[in-house]
Amino acid sequence: MAPPAQICHANNGDSPNAVAAIRVVAKETPPPPPHRACSLLDADEFRRHGHQVIDLISDYYANMGSYPVHPSVTPGFLRDRLPAEAPFRPERDAFAAALRDVRDHILPGLTHWQSPRHFAHFPASSSAAGALGEALAAGINVVPFTWAASPAATELEMVVTDWLGKALHLPETLLFCGGGGGTLLGTSCEAILCALVAAREKKLAEIGGKRIGDLVVYCSDQTHFAFRKAARIAGIHRDNCREIPTRRDREFALSAVDLTAAMKGDVDAGLVPLLVCATIGSTQTTAVDPVSEICAVAAAHGAWVHVDAAYAGSALVCPELGHLADGVESADSFSMNAHKWLLANTDCCALWVRRPALLVAALGTEQEYILKAAAAEGHDVVDYKDWSVTLTRRFRALKLWLVLRCHGIEGLREHVRAHVNMAASFERMVRADERFEVAARRQFALVCFRLRSPEKLGGEKTANEINRRLLEEVNATSSGPYMSSAKVGDVYMLRCAIGSTLTEERHITEAWKVVQDRAADILGKLKSTR
């Protein structure tokens, strides 16, 4: 049967012949394809495929130990195994076939961040609640860019950011309950950019938009490069990003004295201090900047202070580590990644601001009629599209809410403390071996260490080369572990970052044994060649 629209347009009602012609057209026009909307979200098929996915993930975690942490592959390996073009029509039982490719081709080519032997970079922690919360959010698939677009999603985000803020012992001034507020973004890079844009707009409203070229931002040489990238995106001249050198004898923390001198020099030169990024837990060594002192220096120039606690912010859930955030009550914004160490699965960055109105003034949009809801009239609702760079956003609050519900604050504390204790154990093993030294103070669950260079070889350059070789050989071990490196103050060191949900004490002991064995081999070869 031809579509009604075709009949309507062909039949002008002038003669019987016209009707006959319509019928011929109707017979000769091929029928439309069956409507597939129902099959695209068929509940029974979803249930069957969902069980297959859960089984694959469960098997993956159960057999994690059989995978090398870091794959031995060369560029192009996967492209050579997969077809050059997508299938025109799906094969029989396409979903099961695709999962077989995941198992046979994709998983073996991944770096397994959830491996208990993954000690590189920082952790990307997982939990059943976090993974299933992610699946739940994907299945519901709402787009909560305004309160009207998904009221419960917006309000759950407000509730859960206050929950998390209280769990981290943040000051009430950063929470909704105290006049501030929080939001969930993808990464700390986004959080830093949002803070920079809010600070920029506030300052330009005071001094005039034409002076954007005079704005200066400050950080230490240990601040994550995401800050410099965000500054460029925000329109800050490359030459106006001050990286203040740190020193080993000050544990690589930003010096308030040096910051004061840098700001004074810029003001004397006619420039305008805009923002200081203080770090709690720097990427290379987990250095902690003196937030209270930095806020005092910045306040003298009306500069915004953003605290980047991407990794170490999770540790603030433990009261015994709360002193590391002293002074946060004076900061303008604070961000941390719950997906790094707090079981929330990637991605889940929380940003809190003391004055949300400044964020909205910088990032808000003129609200179209289609975005409004009668129920919101007369109420001071939060539209999260005005709190971030993007309009479309994910329902991350559901995942984080589920993690907090299922583990509780005490469960999160136990998770963090277990890794801190393992790191302390690894540190003791390093100190007990006179061939090694701890290269930077351990404050959380990262141990920075290095092999001492034999005195007769002499020179820091030689020591760095020996440790670079040590890392290569450790990571080349098929059974793991997988570590990373840092170079701070011209000192090359190995980083053992403990934080995988699956890591146990035995994995720490096994990792140290590999390090010792590789070191013995390297030193033995050096001795034989001298």
Side-chain angles (χ1 to χ4, degrees):
M1 180 177 179
Q6 289 180 298
I7 297 175
C8 178
H9 284 87
N11 184 9
N12 56 19
D14 289 340
S15 69
N17 289 334
V19 176
I22 293 169
R23 289 173 180 164
V24 171
V25 172
K27 288 180 180 179
E28 292 179 354
T29 302
H35 188 52
R36 296 186 62 232
C38 293
S39 65
L40 293 177
L41 278 178
D42 179 77
D44 291 334
E45 185 178 58
F46 185 85
R47 184 175 289 107
R48 179 168 61 87
H49 290 165
H51 282 303
Q52 293 175 3
V53 171
I54 294 297
D55 285 343
L56 186 149
I57 296 173
S58 299
D59 290 342
Y60 173 64
Y61 280 111
N63 298 304
M64 185 71 73
S66 64
Y67 292 98
V69 187
H70 189 65
S72 298
V73 295
T74 55
F77 82 99
L78 187 60
R79 296 178 67 187
D80 292 340
R81 295 183 185 181
L82 299 180
E85 297 179 359
F88 185 70
R89 293 189 184 278
E91 61 195 287
R92 183 180 179 85
D93 204 1
F95 195 82
L99 289 185
R100 283 194 296 273
D101 281 351
V102 171
R103 182 194 63 201
D104 298 339
H105 301 310
I106 297 176
L107 287 182
L110 295 177
T111 296
H112 299 284
W113 285 68
Q114 306 313 314
S115 170
R117 302 188 304 276
H118 188 292
F119 304 119
H121 316 300
F122 279 130
S125 63
S126 289
S127 65
L132 294 175
E134 185 78 17
L136 189 60
I140 295 173
N141 201 32
V142 297
V143 187
F145 53 86
T146 63
W147 180 90
S150 285
T154 295
E155 296 194 17
L156 186 62
E157 189 162 340
M158 297 173 70
V159 168
V160 83
T161 52
D162 265 15
W163 276 14
L164 181 59
K166 291 175 182 177
L168 300 179
H169 305 95
L170 296 183
E172 281 199 352
T173 51
L174 288 173
L175 310 182
F176 283 108
C177 61
T183 184
L184 299 178
L185 307 172
T187 68
S188 287
C189 305
E190 294 175 63
I192 293 170
L193 178 59
C194 290
L196 269 166
V197 173
R200 182 196 69 191
E201 294 304 291
K202 175 180 179 294
K203 185 62 69 174
L204 291 179
E206 298 169 0
I207 66 174
K210 293 182 179 180
R211 294 195 64 190
I212 188 171
D214 294 335
L215 300 180
V216 186
V217 296
Y218 305 83
C219 64
S220 84
D221 58 5
Q222 300 303 301
T223 304
H224 196 279
F225 61 79
F227 177 69
R228 290 174 284 283
K229 180 176 181 178
R232 292 200 300 271
I233 296 172
I236 306 302
H237 289 182
R238 290 174 184 262
D239 293 340
N240 285 3
C241 185
R242 303 282 180 263
E243 288 187 22
I244 298 174
T246 58
R247 290 166 35 184
R248 191 174 186 179
D249 61 357
R250 292 179 180 172
E251 299 175 350
F252 306 112
L254 175 59
S255 164
V257 173
D258 292 344
L259 176 63
T260 299
M263 284 187 159
K264 183 179 184 302
D266 285 329
V267 171
D268 291 345
L271 300 176
V272 181
L274 173 65
L275 181 145
V276 184
C277 184
T279 303
I280 297 178
S282 64
T283 300
Q284 298 208 85
T285 65
T286 64
V288 175
D289 292 336
V291 177
S292 183
E293 296 175 24
I294 289 171
C295 287
V297 174
H301 299 281
W304 186 293
V305 175
H306 176 75
V307 178
D308 174 21
Y311 160 70
S314 297
L316 301 180
V317 74
C318 301
E320 65 271 21
L321 296 174
H323 65 281
L324 296 171
D326 286 350
V328 167
E329 64 277 2
S330 299
D332 296 279
S333 53
F334 178 97
S335 62
M336 55 81 65
N337 289 343
H339 61 249
K340 271 191 167 62
W341 201 8
L342 223 54
L343 301 176
N345 288 52
T346 306
D347 56 15
C348 189
C349 169
L351 167 68
W352 291 270
V353 291
R354 187 150 51 96
R355 289 168 288 181
L358 295 178
L359 206 59
V360 174
L363 297 168
T365 60
E366 291 295 327
Q367 195 174 61
E368 299 291 339
Y369 178 78
I370 194 173
L371 302 181
K372 296 182 179 180
E377 292 296 328
H379 297 275
D380 186 18
V381 299
V382 169
D383 287 335
Y384 273 122
K385 71 177 179 62
D386 299 333
W387 289 52
S388 64
V389 175
T390 64
L391 299 182
T392 300
R393 58 200 316 277
R394 303 174 62 229
F395 191 6
R396 297 183 182 93
L398 189 60
K399 169 179 58 181
L400 183 56
W401 174 77
L402 199 59
V403 168
L404 291 169
R405 284 285 303 272
C406 294
H407 293 280
I409 295 172
E410 187 57 33
L412 298 179
R413 288 175 180 169
E414 291 173 358
H415 172 71
V416 170
R417 285 168 177 158
H419 291 138
V420 171
N421 290 337
M422 288 183 214
S425 177
F426 189 88
E427 181 185 26
R428 286 192 294 271
M429 289 187 283
V430 173
R431 293 188 183 280
D433 190 327
E434 61 182 12
R435 299 173 299 175
F436 290 86
E437 65 176 336
V438 174
R441 180 187 176 190
R442 181 193 62 78
Q443 302 194 77
F444 304 101
L446 171 71
V447 181
C448 294
F449 68 102
R450 68 199 306 256
L451 185 63
R452 299 179 193 270
S453 175
E455 291 184 7
K456 62 182 179 181
L457 296 181
E460 198 60 60
K461 183 177 180 181
T462 301
N464 287 346
E465 287 302 318
I466 292 173
N467 280 282
R468 187 176 287 107
R469 182 176 168 188
L470 174 61
L471 179 64
E472 290 175 355
E473 295 202 11
V474 166
N475 286 346
T477 307
S478 61
S479 61
Y482 182 52
M483 297 183 182
S484 58
S485 65
K487 191 173 183 182
V488 187
D490 291 327
V491 175
Y492 185 95
M493 58 191 76
L494 283 71
R495 296 172 72 261
C496 180
I498 299 167
S500 170
T501 308
L502 296 173
T503 300
E504 300 174 3
E505 190 73 37
R506 63 186 176 89
H507 298 114
I508 304 301
T509 304
E510 292 167 1
W512 178 238
K513 181 66 166 57
V514 171
V515 172
Q516 286 183 308
D517 289 346
R518 295 295 88 216
D521 185 61
I522 290 171
L523 293 177
K525 290 177 180 177
L526 285 173
K527 184 177 181 180
S528 65
T529 58
R530 296 286 171 173

